[in-house]
């Protein structure tokens, strides 16, 4: 996973970049039954049509799996929507799931845009949660001497430092010795999880009455100081998440930093020739990426859970990868996609209780949708030409894609 | 004597814990030799784990007996399921040219969901939780070599394992031979190093990539079966694979893409994962102790990246798709 050759087919960014003119493959003696040629470009409408078809196909395959276990897929899908948006409470819960997901997706998207495969969002979220919990515990053990606003400010700063540290380590080694960042970030996830388990066993972090290794409920022990205020039934983290997504969009598309990130992602060598400090760009971006995840960790502690557990990140780091990629690394598009994936997760919890369908159906469906979306890229870049046919209409191609 | 016993028991436990790592690492080495960087091992293991357990359980229901038949069906099912996962990966990356990293990560997410989903469904079906019978369980237990097993030290060191341990060793040795001594292995390595060159030499790049990734996936499926049938003794546990798939990918780097070196590196890592149970260090909390394999992985990653030796490096085209028209 070292060097950065540019593969056109895999570049999610630059959706409207002009493709080279259509050229057929080298002339061969006998025409193959089916061959592929590069498209001369595709309209936005065609592109959307391909995505929609792939999305429907993914749902169909999911439906087959539900049928295989003897459940009615139509009921299941309907219940998922009802269970996630049917009531105000359900909607609030769905949004609550979407908050860390959106922030982590934006963070992961930064790194992915540079082809830095950060799969450690999970660990970075936990690192943020751990760091900001330290100050809460310190405050609790010293008669809550910190006021509400200073406490939150300290928590935010610490959480971002924690997340940034976890982003910095792999970036430092990757840029210095090309250390494999995928596994590095992944191992940090496990280390963070183990560390939380360790904290749970500490007397000073436990509930005084508890015999079970569990960290105290911050809300009761800080007289509610730790709790974030709510707006429309959800903690105000959703406002921050939206702001982050919008700012990230402008950061990536309108600033020098954003431009540098795309050049590094397209070709490290080009960036070097252009005189960019590629090492600093990568480290800087991972610091930001980690800090954002750390902030999501803070929101989990202060907004969602009011405590710290080893599941505080709860798989968000991995799901964020799917969200980021489905959104083609565009932070704006991540907003609806994060909400959609949150809907799948909340909805699958609902059908678990109503239809006894395991909640992991959400992961299954998420994976399927991403599989189909990954496959669909091919049909956007290339078209298939069958023997004897010179041209093929876009409509027919979608049938081929199907 | 007591110290020696502890060490020998630790080695025994390390080999048992390292076997799924060895199977998955061998599979991933084969895959990466073709230039496909499959990050989905964790998911493939989950798919193999549930397929193996489900196969054994259904075989017990259908044939009404435990023992050999469920064993064979478990092996076949988990291998085929692993192959299917490899096929999904190959179709997406080789034919449809999707990004290898993201496809692998998706496979990890999908496979984990797949395993947990069908594991729970099977649990509902079995009325609570899935567990295979004693006879089937015994097939995955240690082989009785009679006197040899009873020999002090030697017995524990070499003859107190289940059959998969020996099987994994044989696979690793065969793969080492295949990659280094056969013509087909040479072609495979050529595909991984430089698909353009291999293509010019008349090697069918697509076929090699598909073949290696699918067989490699099958081995990962078997590794998953080890987790559910041996480690969990034929009972479905939701987190049964618990990161072994990721460790296997790290081990590929640690063993520098050599199945033979994977043998000892998997035993070392197996040892690291069980050490906290065997050799308690006073004053060291268990949770911190359990970080060891992960910290060791990071250290290994850093060290191997610092001293890169050319012959021991990753196949040059790993992670990059092959575009014939851009040759």
């Amino acid at each position: 996973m070292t060097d950065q050759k540019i593969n056109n087919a895999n570049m999610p960014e630059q959706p409207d970049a002009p493709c080279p003119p259509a050229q057929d493959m080298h002339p061969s003696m006998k025409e193959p039954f089916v061959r592929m040629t590069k498209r001369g470009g595709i309209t936005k409408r065609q592109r959307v049509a391909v995505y929609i078809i792939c999305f429907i196909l993914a749902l169909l395959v999911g439906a087959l799996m539900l049928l295989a276990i003897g459940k009615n897929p139509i009921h299941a899908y309907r219940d998922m929507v009802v269970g996630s948006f049917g009531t105000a409470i359900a909607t609030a819960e769905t949004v609550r799931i979407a908050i860390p997901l959106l922030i982590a997706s934006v963070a992961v998207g930064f790194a992915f845009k540079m082809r830095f495969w950060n799969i450690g969002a999970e660990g970075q979220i936990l690192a943020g949660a751990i760091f900001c919990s330290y100050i809460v515990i310190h405050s609790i053990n010293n008669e809550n001497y910190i006021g509400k606003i200073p406490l939150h400010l300290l928590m935010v700063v610490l959480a971002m430092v924690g997340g940034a540290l976890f982003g910095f380590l792999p970036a430092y080694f990757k840029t210095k010795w090309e250390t494999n960042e995928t596994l590095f970030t992944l191992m940090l996830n496990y280390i963070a999880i183990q560390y939380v388990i360790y904290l749970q066993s500490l007397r000073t972090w436990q509930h005084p009455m508890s015999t079970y290794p569990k960290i105290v409920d911050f809300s009761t022990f800080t007289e509610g100081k730790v709790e974030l205020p709510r707006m429309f039934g959800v903690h105000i983290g959703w406002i921050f998440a939206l702001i982050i997504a919008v700012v990230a969009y402008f950061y990536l598309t309108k600033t020098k930093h954003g431009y540098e990130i795309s050049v590094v992602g397209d070709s490290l060598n080009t960036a070097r020739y252009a005189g960019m400090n590629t090492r600093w760009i990568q480290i800087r971006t991972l610091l930001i990426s980690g800090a954002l995840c750390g902030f999501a960790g803070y929101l989990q502690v202060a907004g969602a859970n009011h405590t710290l557990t080893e599941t505080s990140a709860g798989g968000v780091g991995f799901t964020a990868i799917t969200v980021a990629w489905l959104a083609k690394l565009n932070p704006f598009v991540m907003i609806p996609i994060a909400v959609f994936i949150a809907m799948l997760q909340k909805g699958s919890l609902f059908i678990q209780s109503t239809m006894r369908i395991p909640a992991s159906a959400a992961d299954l469906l998420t994976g399927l949708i991403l599989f189909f979306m990954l496959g669909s890229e091919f049909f956007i870049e290339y078209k298939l030409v069958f023997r004897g046919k010179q041209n093929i209409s876009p409509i027919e191609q979608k049938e081929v894609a199907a | 004597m007591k110290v020696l016993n502890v060490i020998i028991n630790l080695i025994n436990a390390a080999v048992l814990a390292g076997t799924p790592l060895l199977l998955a690492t061998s599979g991933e080495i084969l895959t990466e030799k073709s230039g496909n960087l499959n990050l989905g091992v964790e998911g493939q293991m989950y798919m193999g784990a549930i397929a193996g357990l489900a196969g054994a359980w259904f075989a017990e229901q259908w044939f009404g007996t435990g023992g050999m038949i469920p064993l064979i069906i478990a092996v076949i099912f988990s291998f085929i399921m692993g192959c299917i996962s490899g096929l999904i990966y190959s179709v997406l990356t080789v034919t449809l040219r999707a990004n290898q990293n993201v496809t692998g990560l998706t496979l990890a997410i999908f496979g984990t969901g797949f395993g947990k989903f069908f594991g729970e469904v099977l649990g509902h079906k079995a009325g609570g939780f899935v567990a295979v019978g004693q006879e089937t369980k015994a097939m995955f237990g240690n082989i009785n070599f009679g006197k040899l097993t009873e020999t002090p030290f030697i017995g524990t060191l070499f003859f107190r394992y289940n059959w998969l341990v020996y099987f994994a060793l044989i696979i690793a040795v065969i793969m080492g031979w295949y990659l280094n001594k056969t013509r087909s292995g040479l072609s495979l390595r050529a595909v991984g190093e430089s698909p353009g060159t291999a293509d010019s030499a008349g090697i069918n790049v697509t076929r090699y990539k598909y073949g290696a990734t699918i067989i490699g996936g099958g081995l990962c499926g078997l590794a998953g079966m080890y987790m559910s049938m041996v480690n969990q003794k034929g009972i479905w546990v939701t987190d049964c694979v618990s990161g072994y798939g990721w460790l296997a990918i790290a081990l590929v780097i640690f063993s520098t893409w050599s199945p033979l070196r994977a043998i000892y590196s998997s035993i070392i890592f197996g040892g690291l994962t069980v050490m906290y149970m065997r050799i308690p260090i006073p004053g060291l909390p268990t949770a911190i102790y359990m970080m060891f394999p992960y910290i060791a992985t990071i250290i290994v990653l850093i060290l191997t990246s610092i001293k890169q030796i050319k012959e021991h490096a990753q196949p040059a085209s790993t992670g990059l798709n092959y575009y014939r028209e851009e040759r």
Side-chain angles (χ1 to χ4, degrees), chain A residues 1-3 5-10 25-26 36 38 65-66 68-69 112 115 117 119 173 177-180 182-184 186-188 190-192 194-195 197-198 201 318-319 321-322 325 352 356-361 363-364 366-368 370-372 374-379 382, chain B residues 37 39 42 88 92 95-103 105-110 112-118 120-121 124-125 242-244 246-247 249-251 253 285-288 290-291 293-295 297-298 301-302 305-306 308 314 316 318-321 323-327:
Chain A
M1 28 213 313
T2 52
D3 220 349
K5 260 190 206 170
I6 311 176
N7 340 351
N8 294 328
N10 293 327
M25 288 175 65
H26 22 229
M36 54 185 206
K38 207 147 196 165
M65 291 200 171
L66 289 170
I69 63 164
F112 273 28
R115 318 224 130 204
W117 305 107
I119 56 174
F173 287 101
W177 289 299
E178 299 234 333
T179 307
N180 186 316
T182 319
L183 292 166
F184 200 132
L186 188 94
M187 293 302 138
L188 287 176
Y190 291 110
I191 289 174
Q194 286 302 330
Y195 195 74
I197 294 173
Y198 160 69
S201 68
F318 284 99
T319 320
I321 297 167
T322 13
W325 206 257
Q352 184 169 36
R356 277 174 51 93
I357 295 171
S360 18
D363 288 338
L364 204 64
T366 315
L368 278 175
L370 191 50
F371 273 149
F372 276 92
L374 284 168
S376 75
E377 287 303 312
F378 177 82
F379 296 98
Y382 300 90
Chain B
L37 178 78
L39 292 176
E42 179 88 357
I88 296 174
L92 282 169
T95 305
L96 298 180
R97 305 175 169 199
N99 181 295
Q100 293 195 6
N101 280 290
V102 182
T103 308
L105 293 174
T106 313
L107 186 56
I109 294 169
F110 171 80
T112 309
F114 184 94
K116 291 182 175 175
F117 182 79
F118 285 102
E120 209 166 311
V121 167
H124 290 322
K125 230 184 166 72
S242 64
Y244 267 57
W246 298 109
L247 281 182
I249 301 175
L251 274 177
I253 299 175
T286 320
I288 302 288
M290 285 169 77
M291 284 180 194
Y294 311 117
I295 295 174
T297 306
I298 291 180
L301 286 173
I302 295 172
S305 65
I306 290 177
Q308 276 175 344
Q314 189 177 36
T318 310
L320 303 168
N321 287 336
Y323 300 92
R324 194 175 201 187
E325 67 273 21
E326 283 171 15
R327 192 162 38 151

Side-chain angles (χ1 to χ4, degrees), chain B residues 233-313:
Chain B
K233 306 201 166 28
I235 296 170
W236 181 254
V237 177
T238 314
D239 290 321
C240 61
V241 178
S242 64
Y244 267 57
W246 298 109
L247 281 182
I249 301 175
L251 274 177
V252 172
I253 299 175
F254 187 35
S255 6
T256 53
W257 291 268
S258 153
L260 297 176
R261 279 190 288 270
I263 295 174
Y264 68 73
S265 51
S266 65
I267 294 175
I268 292 174
F269 268 73
L272 282 171
T273 56
V274 293
M275 223 161 84
Y276 75 95
M277 291 184 280
R278 303 276 162 171
I279 307 177
I281 297 178
L284 185 72
T286 320
I288 302 288
Y289 207 160
M290 285 169 77
M291 284 180 194
F292 274 25
Y294 311 117
I295 295 174
T297 306
I298 291 180
I299 293 171
V300 162
L301 286 173
I302 295 172
L303 291 181
T304 46
S305 65
I306 290 177
K307 43 176 262 180
Q308 276 175 344
I309 309 163
K310 206 152 184 220
E311 296 95 86
H312 292 169

Side-chain angles (χ1 to χ4, degrees), chain B residues 90 94-95 191 199 203-212 322:
Chain B
S90 310
V94 181
T95 305
V191 167
D199 199 1
I203 297 169
N204 189 335
V205 174
T206 309
R207 202 164 69 195
Y208 271 97
K209 274 179 174 270
Y210 263 88
Y322 174 54

